[in-house]
Amino acid sequence: MIRRSKGAIKGIVQGVGFRPFIYQLAHRYQLSGHVVNTPEGVDLEVEGPDENVEHFFQSVLSESPPLAHISSMERADLRPRNDKFFEIQESRADQERSALISPDVSICSDCLRELRDSKDRRFRYPFINCTNCGPRYTIIMDIPYDRAMTTMKKFKMCKACQREYEDPTNRRFHAQPNACWDCGPRLSLHDHDGHPIDRDTPVEKTIHLLKRGSILAIKGLGGFHLAVDATNHKAVVRLRRRKHREEKPLAIMVRDLEAAKEIAHINEIEATSLLSPQRPILILKKRRFHRLSPQVAPRNQIATLGSCFPTRPSTIC
Ligand SMILES: [Zn+2]
Ligand SMILES: [Zn+2]
């Protein structure tokens, strides 16, 4: 028997690869219909053999993408309409706004691999992202979560990015901040008056300035990080003086888990937590010998350090 059902799904279902997920499920179960972002979440309709529709809805709940969180799903049956295809429709923005927005998510392992691959077209591209990672909350100006409603709207995707964006089998299908060296935002380095210093090699120049003991403001997800070389005692003292921050512990940025282990003891649970998509700052037991300035966490009686996560700033507390 042919059946048509609609589902209204609420929760964190925008900006987390939910529509591509639904699209792929509909194909797996050979269903027609559509899915659309709404100001409240995601609405979908599917049509096909009774049993397939049932399996589809079970899979929606049991296989949803890692960053999605379904808080409710209402289902109802409709009269079959004999659609030929399954499609992702344009978002609707005509109702009350109550969809939940995903937080920003740390870089995923697939993107990290591309970032480090000299043959990849996004080799060392600092704004690399995909459906499973990247900025969300920071770039959203309004919902539904579509590129036109984000700060990325002024960057028109190049042909290669557009192809990924439109390909349901690509992991960047409908990834709203999708970008590359050819079409996306670039890094630049400015002096304290806002004048550009370096547009060609800003990362190298920043490293050079940090090594010299300068204080840098690095604009990233959620705001600015004030950064100094944590092993440079004078630089840390100067940062504290300028911030009028006498003893509150400072966060530490490290390259990876191995680098974090050189300054703190890290057990398995802590390691798993540090590497989770949220990349939290942890308070860890510091090693007796490390190269950091004591001013990173002064007058700390219980010998702990806030910690460090790969590819994102972190802390010593
Ligand atoms: Zn990714
Ligand atoms: Zn591009």
Side-chain angles (χ1 to χ4, degrees), residues 105-112 114 128-134 136 171-172:
V105 181
S106 178
I107 189 167
C108 72
S109 51
D110 287 334
C111 286
L112 204 52
E114 286 180 0
I128 189 169
N129 67 84
C130 74
T131 321
N132 289 326
C133 75
R136 300 289 187 272
R171 68 187 183 85
R172 294 195 167 92

Side-chain angles (χ1 to χ4, degrees), residues 121-122 157-162 179-184:
R121 71 187 190 91
R122 290 190 179 83
M157 273 184 273
C158 67
K159 276 194 184 139
C161 286
Q162 189 72 37
C180 74
W181 282 114
D182 290 335
C183 65

